[in-house]
Amino acid sequence: AQSVTQPDIHITVSEGASLELRCNYSYGATPYLFWYVQSPGQGLQLLLKYFSGDTLVQGIKGFEAEFKRSQSSFNLRKPSVHWSDAAEYFCAVGVSQTGANNLFFGTGTRLTVIP
Amino acid sequence: DAGITQSPRHKVTETGTPVTLRCHQTENHRYMYWYRQDPGHGLRLIHYSYGVKDTDKGEVSDGYSVSRSKTEDFLLTLESATSSQTSVYFCAISAGLALPGELFFGEGSRLTVL
């Protein structure tokens, strides 16, 4: 069965510092991987996705993620965090099921940015 | 704006009462989903639909039913609400291309069951 693990529940970084959010997945087939961001009181927005090809993918808002098959990881990074990046971040794996391709999410990492 | 409207956005109800949440889309997408979000659990799939009158269960479907009589509307019903169903419910849509796809989410419906 598929699963996604985000080991860090809450991370605090200073504005301007670099960021790395961890994600590990378990899935028997080729994984389709996603990172979503949720601002308070809002729905989720797609940051980036990996389907195949280049293992380093670029997303919106200056985020990138690297797929490492040997480590079953898809960590999200940003070189310099802005105060507006404070939000909750979710990693997800795409799974083919009856009639549809569904997403299964990790439990999320809440990011706090301090001035 | 992904053209998704959830209603109601907030609802407080009592244990044992029926509740229906509505998701309406203007994108004419084939695939629609209901998730619930709870602290420490992330988002969990309740039910999904891959066409009119075509629905299937997700990982936490017990106590929930859905209906989709037309492309634009996907209804989630709690036949007899329980306190464990207090949650934030998100509807999502997808164009559903060949690969597991990008989901577009509504703004959520916060349900409190007393």
Side-chain angles (χ1 to χ4, degrees), chain A residues 47-97:
Chain A
L47 279 177
L48 48 77
K49 59 189 175 186
Y50 170 79
F51 285 172
S52 64
D54 193 347
T55 56
L56 185 64
V57 294
Q58 302 297 320
I60 62 171
K61 305 184 181 185
F63 285 92
E64 66 178 25
E66 186 172 13
F67 170 60
K68 293 185 177 180
R69 185 184 297 273
S70 62
Q71 298 178 19
S72 298
S73 70
F74 188 56
N75 294 349
L76 182 71
R77 301 195 294 247
K78 187 170 185 179
S80 178
V81 170
H82 188 263
W83 64 267
S84 61
D85 293 324
E88 189 150 20
Y89 292 81
F90 293 92
C91 182
V93 62
V95 175
S96 294
Q97 295 187 307

mmCIF file of all heavy atoms in Angstrom, chain A residues 47-97:
data_model
loop_
_atom_site.group_PDB
_atom_site.id
_atom_site.type_symbol
_atom_site.label_atom_id
_atom_site.label_comp_id
_atom_site.label_asym_id
_atom_site.label_seq_id
_atom_site.Cartn_x
_atom_site.Cartn_y
_atom_site.Cartn_z
ATOM 1 N N LEU A 47 2.531 23.256 -5.581
ATOM 2 C CA LEU A 47 3.833 23.916 -5.710
ATOM 3 C C LEU A 47 4.631 23.334 -6.871
ATOM 4 O O LEU A 47 5.209 24.074 -7.655
ATOM 5 C CB LEU A 47 4.650 23.725 -4.429
ATOM 6 C CG LEU A 47 4.377 24.629 -3.240
ATOM 7 C CD1 LEU A 47 5.245 24.200 -2.068
ATOM 8 C CD2 LEU A 47 4.597 26.078 -3.592
ATOM 9 N N LEU A 48 4.684 22.017 -6.933
ATOM 10 C CA LEU A 48 5.431 21.353 -7.995
ATOM 11 C C LEU A 48 5.062 19.883 -8.028
ATOM 12 O O LEU A 48 4.403 19.373 -7.115
ATOM 13 C CB LEU A 48 6.943 21.524 -7.799
ATOM 14 C CG LEU A 48 7.532 21.248 -6.413
ATOM 15 C CD1 LEU A 48 7.674 19.785 -6.118
ATOM 16 C CD2 LEU A 48 8.878 21.944 -6.256
ATOM 17 N N LYS A 49 5.498 19.225 -9.114
ATOM 18 C CA LYS A 49 5.170 17.813 -9.295
ATOM 19 C C LYS A 49 6.314 17.113 -10.029
ATOM 20 O O LYS A 49 7.048 17.735 -10.799
ATOM 21 C CB LYS A 49 3.872 17.659 -10.072
ATOM 22 C CG LYS A 49 3.900 18.297 -11.451
ATOM 23 C CD LYS A 49 2.517 18.303 -12.080
ATOM 24 C CE LYS A 49 2.543 19.047 -13.407
ATOM 25 N NZ LYS A 49 1.184 19.194 -13.990
ATOM 26 N N TYR A 50 6.430 15.824 -9.768
ATOM 27 C CA TYR A 50 7.403 14.990 -10.451
ATOM 28 C C TYR A 50 6.685 13.789 -11.049
ATOM 29 O O TYR A 50 5.996 13.035 -10.342
ATOM 30 C CB TYR A 50 8.499 14.501 -9.493
ATOM 31 C CG TYR A 50 9.375 13.461 -10.123
ATOM 32 C CD1 TYR A 50 10.388 13.829 -11.004
ATOM 33 C CD2 TYR A 50 9.171 12.106 -9.881
ATOM 34 C CE1 TYR A 50 11.180 12.875 -11.612
ATOM 35 C CE2 TYR A 50 9.959 11.147 -10.480
ATOM 36 C CZ TYR A 50 10.957 11.537 -11.352
ATOM 37 O OH TYR A 50 11.725 10.587 -11.959
ATOM 38 N N PHE A 51 6.891 13.608 -12.339
ATOM 39 C CA PHE A 51 6.340 12.435 -13.003
ATOM 40 C C PHE A 51 7.451 11.534 -13.508
ATOM 41 O O PHE A 51 7.424 10.316 -13.331
ATOM 42 C CB PHE A 51 5.445 12.842 -14.175
ATOM 43 C CG PHE A 51 4.096 13.375 -13.761
ATOM 44 C CD1 PHE A 51 3.248 13.941 -14.696
ATOM 45 C CD2 PHE A 51 3.660 13.321 -12.449
ATOM 46 C CE1 PHE A 51 2.003 14.431 -14.324
ATOM 47 C CE2 PHE A 51 2.432 13.804 -12.062
ATOM 48 C CZ PHE A 51 1.585 14.367 -13.012
ATOM 49 N N SER A 52 8.439 12.121 -14.187
ATOM 50 C CA SER A 52 9.550 11.351 -14.736
ATOM 51 C C SER A 52 10.601 12.340 -15.208
ATOM 52 O O SER A 52 10.411 13.551 -15.145
ATOM 53 C CB SER A 52 9.089 10.467 -15.893
ATOM 54 O OG SER A 52 8.636 11.273 -16.968
ATOM 55 N N GLY A 53 11.737 11.802 -15.665
ATOM 56 C CA GLY A 53 12.753 12.666 -16.241
ATOM 57 C C GLY A 53 13.670 13.261 -15.203
ATOM 58 O O GLY A 53 14.048 12.595 -14.231
ATOM 59 N N ASP A 54 14.001 14.512 -15.395
ATOM 60 C CA ASP A 54 14.935 15.209 -14.510
ATOM 61 C C ASP A 54 14.478 15.097 -13.062
ATOM 62 O O ASP A 54 13.335 15.410 -12.745
ATOM 63 C CB ASP A 54 15.041 16.676 -14.925
ATOM 64 C CG ASP A 54 16.213 17.388 -14.255
ATOM 65 O OD1 ASP A 54 16.791 16.824 -13.304
ATOM 66 O OD2 ASP A 54 16.542 18.494 -14.693
ATOM 67 N N THR A 55 15.378 14.653 -12.208
ATOM 68 C CA THR A 55 14.987 14.414 -10.822
ATOM 69 C C THR A 55 14.913 15.690 -9.989
ATOM 70 O O THR A 55 14.427 15.657 -8.864
ATOM 71 C CB THR A 55 15.967 13.442 -10.151
ATOM 72 O OG1 THR A 55 17.295 13.976 -10.263
ATOM 73 C CG2 THR A 55 15.909 12.078 -10.827
ATOM 74 N N LEU A 56 15.386 16.782 -10.508
ATOM 75 C CA LEU A 56 15.268 18.065 -9.826
ATOM 76 C C LEU A 56 14.188 18.866 -10.538
ATOM 77 O O LEU A 56 14.328 19.196 -11.711
ATOM 78 C CB LEU A 56 16.599 18.811 -9.844
ATOM 79 C CG LEU A 56 16.645 20.128 -9.060
ATOM 80 C CD1 LEU A 56 16.434 19.863 -7.572
ATOM 81 C CD2 LEU A 56 17.958 20.850 -9.302
ATOM 82 N N VAL A 57 13.122 19.151 -9.833
ATOM 83 C CA VAL A 57 11.996 19.852 -10.447
ATOM 84 C C VAL A 57 11.819 21.220 -9.822
ATOM 85 O O VAL A 57 12.005 21.392 -8.612
ATOM 86 C CB VAL A 57 10.690 19.037 -10.334
ATOM 87 C CG1 VAL A 57 10.790 17.765 -11.140
ATOM 88 C CG2 VAL A 57 10.355 18.709 -8.894
ATOM 89 N N GLN A 58 11.466 22.145 -10.656
ATOM 90 C CA GLN A 58 11.256 23.520 -10.209
ATOM 91 C C GLN A 58 9.765 23.787 -10.075
ATOM 92 O O GLN A 58 8.949 23.262 -10.855
ATOM 93 C CB GLN A 58 11.858 24.499 -11.210
ATOM 94 C CG GLN A 58 13.332 24.299 -11.456
ATOM 95 C CD GLN A 58 14.182 24.527 -10.225
ATOM 96 O OE1 GLN A 58 13.932 25.441 -9.445
ATOM 97 N NE2 GLN A 58 15.199 23.678 -10.039
ATOM 98 N N GLY A 59 9.415 24.578 -9.086
ATOM 99 C CA GLY A 59 8.021 24.908 -8.888
ATOM 100 C C GLY A 59 7.791 26.401 -8.796
ATOM 101 O O GLY A 59 8.660 27.193 -9.142
ATOM 102 N N ILE A 60 6.632 26.735 -8.307
ATOM 103 C CA ILE A 60 6.309 28.149 -8.157
ATOM 104 C C ILE A 60 6.926 28.699 -6.892
ATOM 105 O O ILE A 60 7.385 27.944 -6.021
ATOM 106 C CB ILE A 60 4.784 28.359 -8.143
ATOM 107 C CG1 ILE A 60 4.152 27.639 -6.943
ATOM 108 C CG2 ILE A 60 4.164 27.879 -9.440
ATOM 109 C CD1 ILE A 60 2.689 27.975 -6.735
ATOM 110 N N LYS A 61 6.973 30.011 -6.779
ATOM 111 C CA LYS A 61 7.444 30.717 -5.585
ATOM 112 C C LYS A 61 8.885 30.391 -5.221
ATOM 113 O O LYS A 61 9.286 30.523 -4.070
ATOM 114 C CB LYS A 61 6.533 30.419 -4.387
ATOM 115 C CG LYS A 61 5.065 30.717 -4.635
ATOM 116 C CD LYS A 61 4.237 30.500 -3.385
ATOM 117 C CE LYS A 61 2.769 30.780 -3.666
ATOM 118 N NZ LYS A 61 1.927 30.703 -2.452
ATOM 119 N N GLY A 62 9.684 29.960 -6.183
ATOM 120 C CA GLY A 62 11.094 29.698 -5.933
ATOM 121 C C GLY A 62 11.414 28.364 -5.277
ATOM 122 O O GLY A 62 12.547 28.120 -4.871
ATOM 123 N N PHE A 63 10.441 27.496 -5.179
ATOM 124 C CA PHE A 63 10.658 26.174 -4.590
ATOM 125 C C PHE A 63 11.179 25.180 -5.621
ATOM 126 O O PHE A 63 10.882 25.283 -6.809
ATOM 127 C CB PHE A 63 9.360 25.636 -3.987
ATOM 128 C CG PHE A 63 8.981 26.291 -2.692
ATOM 129 C CD1 PHE A 63 8.152 27.402 -2.677
ATOM 130 C CD2 PHE A 63 9.452 25.792 -1.487
ATOM 131 C CE1 PHE A 63 7.797 28.013 -1.486
ATOM 132 C CE2 PHE A 63 9.104 26.395 -0.290
ATOM 133 C CZ PHE A 63 8.279 27.510 -0.292
ATOM 134 N N GLU A 64 11.928 24.207 -5.131
ATOM 135 C CA GLU A 64 12.368 23.085 -5.940
ATOM 136 C C GLU A 64 12.325 21.824 -5.095
ATOM 137 O O GLU A 64 12.276 21.887 -3.859
ATOM 138 C CB GLU A 64 13.785 23.302 -6.481
ATOM 139 C CG GLU A 64 14.857 23.336 -5.413
ATOM 140 C CD GLU A 64 16.251 23.506 -6.005
ATOM 141 O OE1 GLU A 64 16.382 24.055 -7.111
ATOM 142 O OE2 GLU A 64 17.208 23.073 -5.327
ATOM 143 N N ALA A 65 12.306 20.686 -5.750
ATOM 144 C CA ALA A 65 12.317 19.417 -5.033
ATOM 145 C C ALA A 65 13.157 18.430 -5.822
ATOM 146 O O ALA A 65 13.228 18.484 -7.047
ATOM 147 C CB ALA A 65 10.908 18.874 -4.838
ATOM 148 N N GLU A 66 13.785 17.530 -5.093
ATOM 149 C CA GLU A 66 14.630 16.526 -5.724
ATOM 150 C C GLU A 66 14.121 15.129 -5.420
ATOM 151 O O GLU A 66 13.926 14.763 -4.252
ATOM 152 C CB GLU A 66 16.080 16.652 -5.249
ATOM 153 C CG GLU A 66 17.026 15.714 -5.992
ATOM 154 C CD GLU A 66 18.479 15.961 -5.674
ATOM 155 O OE1 GLU A 66 18.762 16.687 -4.694
ATOM 156 O OE2 GLU A 66 19.339 15.429 -6.395
ATOM 157 N N PHE A 67 13.903 14.364 -6.455
ATOM 158 C CA PHE A 67 13.472 12.976 -6.337
ATOM 159 C C PHE A 67 14.705 12.082 -6.248
ATOM 160 O O PHE A 67 15.570 12.122 -7.116
ATOM 161 C CB PHE A 67 12.629 12.585 -7.562
ATOM 162 C CG PHE A 67 12.329 11.115 -7.652
ATOM 163 C CD1 PHE A 67 11.624 10.478 -6.652
ATOM 164 C CD2 PHE A 67 12.746 10.372 -8.750
ATOM 165 C CE1 PHE A 67 11.325 9.125 -6.739
ATOM 166 C CE2 PHE A 67 12.452 9.022 -8.852
ATOM 167 C CZ PHE A 67 11.754 8.398 -7.837
ATOM 168 N N LYS A 68 14.758 11.278 -5.193
ATOM 169 C CA LYS A 68 15.853 10.325 -5.019
ATOM 170 C C LYS A 68 15.230 8.941 -4.831
ATOM 171 O O LYS A 68 14.765 8.588 -3.738
ATOM 172 C CB LYS A 68 16.724 10.696 -3.821
ATOM 173 C CG LYS A 68 17.494 11.989 -4.012
ATOM 174 C CD LYS A 68 18.439 12.241 -2.836
ATOM 175 C CE LYS A 68 19.261 13.512 -3.061
ATOM 176 N NZ LYS A 68 20.184 13.786 -1.938
ATOM 177 N N ARG A 69 15.269 8.165 -5.896
ATOM 178 C CA ARG A 69 14.635 6.847 -5.855
ATOM 179 C C ARG A 69 15.300 5.949 -4.817
ATOM 180 O O ARG A 69 14.619 5.216 -4.101
ATOM 181 C CB ARG A 69 14.704 6.189 -7.237
ATOM 182 C CG ARG A 69 13.966 4.863 -7.315
ATOM 183 C CD ARG A 69 14.150 4.222 -8.673
ATOM 184 N NE ARG A 69 13.582 5.030 -9.740
ATOM 185 C CZ ARG A 69 12.312 4.965 -10.124
ATOM 186 N NH1 ARG A 69 11.479 4.154 -9.524
ATOM 187 N NH2 ARG A 69 11.896 5.722 -11.116
ATOM 188 N N SER A 70 16.624 6.017 -4.714
ATOM 189 C CA SER A 70 17.347 5.128 -3.797
ATOM 190 C C SER A 70 16.978 5.383 -2.336
ATOM 191 O O SER A 70 17.070 4.489 -1.498
ATOM 192 C CB SER A 70 18.859 5.303 -3.982
ATOM 193 O OG SER A 70 19.243 6.638 -3.670
ATOM 194 N N GLN A 71 16.549 6.596 -2.051
ATOM 195 C CA GLN A 71 16.170 6.952 -0.681
ATOM 196 C C GLN A 71 14.657 7.073 -0.523
ATOM 197 O O GLN A 71 14.180 7.391 0.571
ATOM 198 C CB GLN A 71 16.838 8.274 -0.292
ATOM 199 C CG GLN A 71 18.353 8.225 -0.306
ATOM 200 C CD GLN A 71 18.991 9.560 0.031
ATOM 201 O OE1 GLN A 71 18.358 10.444 0.605
ATOM 202 N NE2 GLN A 71 20.252 9.718 -0.318
ATOM 203 N N SER A 72 13.909 6.834 -1.587
ATOM 204 C CA SER A 72 12.446 6.999 -1.562
ATOM 205 C C SER A 72 12.075 8.364 -0.979
ATOM 206 O O SER A 72 11.196 8.479 -0.116
ATOM 207 C CB SER A 72 11.787 5.880 -0.755
ATOM 208 O OG SER A 72 12.029 4.631 -1.338
ATOM 209 N N SER A 73 12.763 9.373 -1.459
ATOM 210 C CA SER A 73 12.537 10.703 -0.900
ATOM 211 C C SER A 73 12.208 11.724 -1.986
ATOM 212 O O SER A 73 12.553 11.543 -3.167
ATOM 213 C CB SER A 73 13.760 11.174 -0.113
ATOM 214 O OG SER A 73 14.849 11.446 -0.971
ATOM 215 N N PHE A 74 11.552 12.760 -1.570
ATOM 216 C CA PHE A 74 11.173 13.867 -2.472
ATOM 217 C C PHE A 74 11.149 15.126 -1.611
ATOM 218 O O PHE A 74 10.109 15.658 -1.254
ATOM 219 C CB PHE A 74 9.809 13.580 -3.097
ATOM 220 C CG PHE A 74 9.417 14.553 -4.193
ATOM 221 C CD1 PHE A 74 10.231 14.763 -5.288
ATOM 222 C CD2 PHE A 74 8.196 15.217 -4.150
ATOM 223 C CE1 PHE A 74 9.863 15.642 -6.308
ATOM 224 C CE2 PHE A 74 7.815 16.090 -5.165
ATOM 225 C CZ PHE A 74 8.647 16.297 -6.240
ATOM 226 N N ASN A 75 12.328 15.611 -1.269
ATOM 227 C CA ASN A 75 12.452 16.740 -0.343
ATOM 228 C C ASN A 75 12.273 18.069 -1.049
ATOM 229 O O ASN A 75 12.764 18.273 -2.168
ATOM 230 C CB ASN A 75 13.803 16.699 0.357
ATOM 231 C CG ASN A 75 13.937 15.497 1.272
ATOM 232 O OD1 ASN A 75 12.960 14.797 1.542
ATOM 233 N ND2 ASN A 75 15.149 15.246 1.728
ATOM 234 N N LEU A 76 11.620 18.957 -0.361
ATOM 235 C CA LEU A 76 11.334 20.295 -0.888
ATOM 236 C C LEU A 76 12.368 21.277 -0.347
ATOM 237 O O LEU A 76 12.701 21.243 0.845
ATOM 238 C CB LEU A 76 9.935 20.732 -0.447
ATOM 239 C CG LEU A 76 9.448 22.088 -0.933
ATOM 240 C CD1 LEU A 76 9.148 22.055 -2.436
ATOM 241 C CD2 LEU A 76 8.191 22.507 -0.166
ATOM 242 N N ARG A 77 12.839 22.172 -1.224
ATOM 243 C CA ARG A 77 13.881 23.118 -0.800
ATOM 244 C C ARG A 77 13.574 24.513 -1.319
ATOM 245 O O ARG A 77 12.880 24.695 -2.334
ATOM 246 C CB ARG A 77 15.253 22.679 -1.334
ATOM 247 C CG ARG A 77 15.694 21.303 -0.874
ATOM 248 C CD ARG A 77 17.156 21.096 -1.125
ATOM 249 N NE ARG A 77 17.472 21.075 -2.556
ATOM 250 C CZ ARG A 77 17.898 19.998 -3.201
ATOM 251 N NH1 ARG A 77 18.011 18.855 -2.558
ATOM 252 N NH2 ARG A 77 18.205 20.068 -4.472
ATOM 253 N N LYS A 78 14.111 25.463 -0.582
ATOM 254 C CA LYS A 78 14.082 26.856 -1.036
ATOM 255 C C LYS A 78 15.336 27.526 -0.483
ATOM 256 O O LYS A 78 15.620 27.419 0.712
ATOM 257 C CB LYS A 78 12.824 27.575 -0.566
ATOM 258 C CG LYS A 78 12.682 28.971 -1.167
ATOM 259 C CD LYS A 78 11.327 29.584 -0.904
ATOM 260 C CE LYS A 78 11.221 30.922 -1.644
ATOM 261 N NZ LYS A 78 9.895 31.566 -1.457
ATOM 262 N N PRO A 79 16.086 28.219 -1.316
ATOM 263 C CA PRO A 79 17.367 28.778 -0.853
ATOM 264 C C PRO A 79 17.225 29.940 0.118
ATOM 265 O O PRO A 79 18.088 30.127 0.975
ATOM 266 C CB PRO A 79 18.041 29.238 -2.154
ATOM 267 C CG PRO A 79 16.990 29.278 -3.184
ATOM 268 C CD PRO A 79 15.905 28.357 -2.767
ATOM 269 N N SER A 80 16.156 30.708 0.014
ATOM 270 C CA SER A 80 15.990 31.866 0.886
ATOM 271 C C SER A 80 14.501 32.055 1.175
ATOM 272 O O SER A 80 13.724 32.393 0.280
ATOM 273 C CB SER A 80 16.561 33.119 0.222
ATOM 274 O OG SER A 80 16.375 34.261 1.039
ATOM 275 N N VAL A 81 14.136 31.845 2.415
ATOM 276 C CA VAL A 81 12.716 31.855 2.789
ATOM 277 C C VAL A 81 12.233 33.283 3.026
ATOM 278 O O VAL A 81 12.936 34.120 3.599
ATOM 279 C CB VAL A 81 12.512 31.006 4.062
ATOM 280 C CG1 VAL A 81 11.111 31.189 4.616
ATOM 281 C CG2 VAL A 81 12.751 29.539 3.751
ATOM 282 N N HIS A 82 11.015 33.525 2.589
ATOM 283 C CA HIS A 82 10.352 34.816 2.793
ATOM 284 C C HIS A 82 9.258 34.657 3.822
ATOM 285 O O HIS A 82 8.704 33.560 3.999
ATOM 286 C CB HIS A 82 9.775 35.282 1.444
ATOM 287 C CG HIS A 82 9.241 36.663 1.437
ATOM 288 N ND1 HIS A 82 7.893 36.940 1.602
ATOM 289 C CD2 HIS A 82 9.859 37.856 1.304
ATOM 290 C CE1 HIS A 82 7.703 38.244 1.557
ATOM 291 N NE2 HIS A 82 8.883 38.821 1.379
ATOM 292 N N TRP A 83 8.913 35.739 4.508
ATOM 293 C CA TRP A 83 7.887 35.642 5.550
ATOM 294 C C TRP A 83 6.579 35.083 4.997
ATOM 295 O O TRP A 83 5.834 34.393 5.686
ATOM 296 C CB TRP A 83 7.638 37.004 6.206
ATOM 297 C CG TRP A 83 7.070 38.045 5.285
ATOM 298 C CD1 TRP A 83 7.751 38.967 4.556
ATOM 299 C CD2 TRP A 83 5.692 38.235 4.948
ATOM 300 N NE1 TRP A 83 6.910 39.715 3.795
ATOM 301 C CE2 TRP A 83 5.627 39.315 4.021
ATOM 302 C CE3 TRP A 83 4.502 37.629 5.348
ATOM 303 C CZ2 TRP A 83 4.424 39.764 3.503
ATOM 304 C CZ3 TRP A 83 3.301 38.094 4.817
ATOM 305 C CH2 TRP A 83 3.276 39.134 3.900
ATOM 306 N N SER A 84 6.296 35.365 3.723
ATOM 307 C CA SER A 84 5.047 34.895 3.124
ATOM 308 C C SER A 84 5.039 33.387 2.882
ATOM 309 O O SER A 84 3.993 32.828 2.501
ATOM 310 C CB SER A 84 4.796 35.619 1.804
ATOM 311 O OG SER A 84 5.840 35.360 0.890
ATOM 312 N N ASP A 85 6.161 32.725 3.091
ATOM 313 C CA ASP A 85 6.197 31.266 2.916
ATOM 314 C C ASP A 85 5.638 30.531 4.124
ATOM 315 O O ASP A 85 5.473 29.306 4.080
ATOM 316 C CB ASP A 85 7.633 30.797 2.669
ATOM 317 C CG ASP A 85 8.183 31.285 1.344
ATOM 318 O OD1 ASP A 85 7.399 31.359 0.371
ATOM 319 O OD2 ASP A 85 9.387 31.605 1.277
ATOM 320 N N ALA A 86 5.360 31.238 5.193
ATOM 321 C CA ALA A 86 4.777 30.598 6.375
ATOM 322 C C ALA A 86 3.440 29.975 5.993
ATOM 323 O O ALA A 86 2.525 30.663 5.530
ATOM 324 C CB ALA A 86 4.594 31.613 7.484
ATOM 325 N N ALA A 87 3.338 28.665 6.188
ATOM 326 C CA ALA A 87 2.159 27.921 5.743
ATOM 327 C C ALA A 87 2.357 26.471 6.152
ATOM 328 O O ALA A 87 3.321 26.117 6.823
ATOM 329 C CB ALA A 87 1.999 28.025 4.227
ATOM 330 N N GLU A 88 1.420 25.640 5.728
ATOM 331 C CA GLU A 88 1.583 24.206 5.931
ATOM 332 C C GLU A 88 1.856 23.565 4.577
ATOM 333 O O GLU A 88 1.211 23.904 3.568
ATOM 334 C CB GLU A 88 0.361 23.577 6.602
ATOM 335 C CG GLU A 88 0.595 22.133 7.024
ATOM 336 C CD GLU A 88 -0.218 21.737 8.245
ATOM 337 O OE1 GLU A 88 -1.218 22.410 8.540
ATOM 338 O OE2 GLU A 88 0.158 20.736 8.897
ATOM 339 N N TYR A 89 2.781 22.621 4.567
ATOM 340 C CA TYR A 89 3.227 22.001 3.332
ATOM 341 C C TYR A 89 2.928 20.507 3.373
ATOM 342 O O TYR A 89 3.217 19.824 4.370
ATOM 343 C CB TYR A 89 4.729 22.239 3.132
ATOM 344 C CG TYR A 89 5.037 23.696 2.870
ATOM 345 C CD1 TYR A 89 5.117 24.600 3.920
ATOM 346 C CD2 TYR A 89 5.223 24.159 1.572
ATOM 347 C CE1 TYR A 89 5.367 25.942 3.685
ATOM 348 C CE2 TYR A 89 5.475 25.500 1.324
ATOM 349 C CZ TYR A 89 5.541 26.381 2.384
ATOM 350 O OH TYR A 89 5.784 27.715 2.147
ATOM 351 N N PHE A 90 2.363 20.026 2.275
ATOM 352 C CA PHE A 90 1.974 18.629 2.179
ATOM 353 C C PHE A 90 2.651 17.970 0.986
ATOM 354 O O PHE A 90 2.603 18.486 -0.131
ATOM 355 C CB PHE A 90 0.461 18.488 2.014
ATOM 356 C CG PHE A 90 -0.331 18.913 3.222
ATOM 357 C CD1 PHE A 90 -0.785 20.216 3.338
ATOM 358 C CD2 PHE A 90 -0.599 18.014 4.231
ATOM 359 C CE1 PHE A 90 -1.523 20.613 4.446
ATOM 360 C CE2 PHE A 90 -1.332 18.400 5.341
ATOM 361 C CZ PHE A 90 -1.782 19.704 5.447
ATOM 362 N N CYS A 91 3.227 16.811 1.246
ATOM 363 C CA CYS A 91 3.760 15.960 0.191
ATOM 364 C C CYS A 91 2.688 14.925 -0.149
ATOM 365 O O CYS A 91 1.915 14.506 0.735
ATOM 366 C CB CYS A 91 5.022 15.281 0.703
ATOM 367 S SG CYS A 91 5.874 14.222 -0.470
ATOM 368 N N ALA A 92 2.613 14.522 -1.410
ATOM 369 C CA ALA A 92 1.587 13.559 -1.813
ATOM 370 C C ALA A 92 2.131 12.636 -2.894
ATOM 371 O O ALA A 92 3.009 13.012 -3.673
ATOM 372 C CB ALA A 92 0.339 14.282 -2.322
ATOM 373 N N VAL A 93 1.566 11.432 -2.934
ATOM 374 C CA VAL A 93 1.910 10.469 -3.976
ATOM 375 C C VAL A 93 0.665 10.140 -4.772
ATOM 376 O O VAL A 93 -0.416 9.968 -4.199
ATOM 377 C CB VAL A 93 2.550 9.199 -3.369
ATOM 378 C CG1 VAL A 93 1.586 8.469 -2.435
ATOM 379 C CG2 VAL A 93 3.017 8.251 -4.467
ATOM 380 N N GLY A 94 0.780 10.061 -6.074
ATOM 381 C CA GLY A 94 -0.339 9.749 -6.942
ATOM 382 C C GLY A 94 -0.434 8.255 -7.171
ATOM 383 O O GLY A 94 0.567 7.597 -7.454
ATOM 384 N N VAL A 95 -1.644 7.725 -7.065
ATOM 385 C CA VAL A 95 -1.874 6.280 -7.160
ATOM 386 C C VAL A 95 -3.010 6.021 -8.131
ATOM 387 O O VAL A 95 -4.048 6.693 -8.061
ATOM 388 C CB VAL A 95 -2.232 5.711 -5.768
ATOM 389 C CG1 VAL A 95 -2.592 4.243 -5.867
ATOM 390 C CG2 VAL A 95 -1.086 5.926 -4.796
ATOM 391 N N SER A 96 -2.844 5.043 -8.993
ATOM 392 C CA SER A 96 -3.922 4.655 -9.894
ATOM 393 C C SER A 96 -4.874 3.718 -9.176
ATOM 394 O O SER A 96 -4.458 2.688 -8.652
ATOM 395 C CB SER A 96 -3.351 3.961 -11.130
ATOM 396 O OG SER A 96 -2.591 4.866 -11.890
ATOM 397 N N GLN A 97 -6.169 4.095 -9.141
ATOM 398 C CA GLN A 97 -7.179 3.256 -8.515
ATOM 399 C C GLN A 97 -8.357 3.106 -9.468
ATOM 400 O O GLN A 97 -8.308 3.589 -10.594
ATOM 401 C CB GLN A 97 -7.620 3.890 -7.184
ATOM 402 C CG GLN A 97 -6.503 3.942 -6.154
ATOM 403 C CD GLN A 97 -6.974 4.406 -4.804
ATOM 404 O OE1 GLN A 97 -7.601 5.455 -4.690
ATOM 405 N NE2 GLN A 97 -6.651 3.657 -3.760
#
